[in-house]
Amino acid sequence: MDLSPTPLENRLIEIIAQNGALRLDHFMDLALFDPQDGYYTTHMPIGAPYAEGGDFITAPEVSQIFGELIGAWCLDLWQKNGRDEPVQLIELGPGRGTLSADLWRVIDHHHFSDHMQLHCVETSPRLRAIQAEKVPHAQWHDHIGAVPATAPCIIIANEFFDALPTRQFRRTADGWSERYVSCEKNTLVFVDCPFDGPSRSVEKGAQEQDVDMMAELRRLEDQFALGQCVELSPAARLYSDHIAARLRQTGGALLAIDYGYGKAADRDNSAAQAGGEDLSLPFSGDSLQAMFRHQFVSPLSHIGAADLTTHVNFDALAQSLKHGQITPLPLLTQGTFLNALGIHARTQKLAASHPDHAATLFSGTQRLTAADEMGQLFKVLCAISSDFPVPLPFSEK
Ligand code: SAH
């Protein structure tokens, strides 16, 4: 594996030498979205190894059944809502457009496409072009706030929140410390600096953000042992505020699927399992990971060439939606969600009509639902506006 510094790494070393260490979320933001050398600007993230040049594979790419079941879920929810007005289906970060295409096929098949509009929220021009080949009738936007609020909506986000930059705070004997990326002998290194309240930064919104972080850390304090870290994403917080505002305005639901954890207790198991940590030891809480051609690499290597993510803190996401007067329903695992939507019956049916693909269909379903594959690590959060019905298979308690 080539370990020579990438152009972005060299630039970051210069930036740090001039301005000091970079806060972890600022580092992630540059590594992923730098307009010149960022990972999403320069690479094709999703796809099978080598054949398609991707670095990771997502549920819709594993099996068409994933998107089809979500299409049927949207239709069911729409009918349950009992309204005759149009609905907007908004996908956040549609990647290669596979989920949108699969769900739209179901909607079309049931002759509902006249009642629905598809909106894709995507920042990468390169991915937009690929999506346009799959769902040419969709409309594209840079941000959820730019989707015209003309109808109730169902917002779908698969592996979207894990890409949003995160801050990391560690509990120490002297309070909380925060993780930064610095440079020693021309090499990037992590450093931890004390975090004791609002920064003196003059950057717009920086102090308010730190006050929010401090309040959240106080709420969480007794869930974390000394040495463990909490990951809080201001970008996810901001995004969920926009989602909540939109859902309040027109009514609707959010379906967010991602690897991640709810409360601290389930985090320790699921995040450690994904990171290959020894489950008998307490999990450090650090879920930052870098993927390069389907292999884990150091988050401080291959900068701009590897995908950088953290596990989604669904507890924090649910809290911020609640703060925006949107009701988060209890978190389900992906396995429970897909099993309840009838993934096994659908697989049998499709395999019977396409015997040549039967083995791939069955192994895809196994990968999506098995507890030791994606079934347990991936979670599904559904949140609804006050006037919306509770979608299957969620419950209010
Ligand atoms: N949902 C897809 C792709 C997941 S990868 C799938 O399941 O296969 C993350 C996607 O989010 C990519 O399409 C990426 O370009 C997009 N993305 C990341 N940050 C974004 C942002 N702030 N706004 C809009 N899209 C974003």
Side-chain angles (χ1 to χ4, degrees):
M1 210 174 268
D2 180 12
L3 285 178
S4 50
T6 58
L8 185 55
E9 182 170 346
N10 288 328
R11 264 177 55 214
L12 292 184
I13 289 172
E14 276 171 34
I15 293 174
I16 292 168
Q18 276 173 13
N19 305 330
L22 275 169
R23 213 171 69 189
L24 181 67
D25 58 328
H26 296 158
F27 163 77
M28 286 180 77
D29 195 36
L30 289 166
L32 292 171
F33 305 111
D34 178 77
Q36 190 183 322
D37 297 315
Y39 175 68
Y40 277 103
T41 325
T42 55
H43 283 71
M44 165 43 66
I46 311 133
Y50 301 108
E52 287 158 330
D55 292 292
F56 57 91
I57 191 132
T58 56
E61 306 296 331
V62 167
S63 171
Q64 67 182 76
I65 298 176
F66 184 79
E68 289 171 354
L69 290 176
I70 293 178
W73 182 86
C74 291
L75 273 183
D76 181 67
L77 178 56
W78 189 239
Q79 281 165 343
K80 223 195 224 130
N81 195 37
R83 296 197 205 167
D84 207 16
E85 56 194 319
V87 62
Q88 292 177 335
L89 300 180
I90 306 176
E91 189 179 355
L92 307 180
R96 300 174 77 99
T98 309
L99 171 54
S100 269
D102 290 339
L103 74 78
W104 195 260
R105 201 168 47 250
V106 172
I107 284 158
D108 221 12
H109 179 79
H110 288 88
H111 311 292
F112 267 90
S113 43
D114 287 348
H115 300 268
M116 308 219 174
Q117 281 176 0
L118 184 61
H119 292 266
C120 295
V121 178
E122 176 59 67
T123 42
S124 155
R126 164 195 280 266
L127 287 174
R128 272 188 187 201
I130 293 174
Q131 293 156 16
E133 287 173 22
K134 301 254 183 68
V135 281
H137 53 281
Q139 296 172 46
W140 278 265
H141 314 272
D142 275 332
H143 196 273
I144 177 93
V147 182
T150 49
C153 62
I154 301 175
I155 303 172
I156 295 156
N158 188 62
E159 290 210 32
F160 172 74
F161 283 99
D162 65 73
L164 300 183
T166 300
R167 294 174 71 169
Q168 256 186 6
F169 302 94
R170 262 178 194 66
R171 218 185 134 195
T172 75
D174 303 321
W176 292 94
S177 68
E178 177 161 21
R179 182 143 278 200
Y180 283 72
V181 175
S182 185
C183 181
E184 276 171 16
K185 299 195 187 101
N186 245 13
T187 307
L188 296 178
V189 290
F190 287 123
V191 290
D192 291 314
C193 305
F195 175 74
D196 46 18
S199 63
R200 279 171 287 277
S201 163
V202 289
E203 209 179 299
K204 194 168 159 273
Q207 298 197 353
E208 290 84 341
Q209 195 191 86
D210 280 348
V211 170
D212 269 7
M213 294 286 138
M214 211 60 210
E216 187 65 2
L217 290 173
R218 258 187 229 116
R219 183 179 79 83
L220 295 170
E221 199 142 52
D222 54 0
Q223 293 182 33
F224 290 83
L226 283 182
Q228 278 195 314
C229 90
V230 187
E231 293 172 333
L232 297 174
S233 166
R237 172 71 205 259
L238 196 63
Y239 224 96
S240 67
D241 286 349
H242 282 283
I243 291 173
R246 175 59 214 263
L247 294 178
R248 275 199 314 273
Q249 197 178 353
T250 59
L254 164 73
L255 186 73
I257 308 174
D258 226 306
Y259 41 97
Y261 47 87
K263 297 266 179 255
D266 100 271
R267 170 194 83 145
D268 288 4
N269 271 336
S270 65
Q273 179 196 354
E277 289 203 9
D278 180 349
L279 289 178
S280 60
L281 299 172
F283 174 51
S284 67
D286 172 2
S287 75
L288 179 68
Q289 64 186 39
M291 255 293 174
F292 180 70
R293 298 190 186 147
H294 298 259
Q295 301 216 352
F296 287 111
V297 294
S298 156
L300 296 182
S301 72
H302 302 79
I303 292 163
D307 181 41
L308 215 48
T309 62
T310 52
H311 287 234
V312 173
N313 183 339
F314 279 107
D315 180 38
L317 186 57
Q319 286 292 332
S320 59
L321 290 163
K322 211 189 268 179
H323 187 75
Q325 290 138 43
I326 296 303
T327 310
L329 302 169
L331 199 62
L332 298 180
T333 64
Q334 177 168 293
T336 304
F337 176 68
L338 295 176
N339 287 337
L341 296 191
I343 192 169
H344 296 285
R346 172 76 189 142
T347 312
Q348 297 273 5
K349 196 164 166 221
L350 206 57
S353 50
H354 299 88
D356 292 356
H357 297 292
T360 315
L361 290 165
F362 283 115
S363 72
T365 292
Q366 168 75 9
R367 186 162 172 192
L368 294 176
T369 55
D372 58 351
E373 299 204 52
M374 296 169 79
Q376 182 129 28
L377 174 62
F378 281 71
K379 308 290 188 301
V380 188
L381 177 71
C382 182
I384 49 175
S385 59
S386 56
D387 53 346
F388 234 59
V390 174
L392 275 175
F394 297 91
S395 62
E396 269 171 291
K397 286 260 149 30

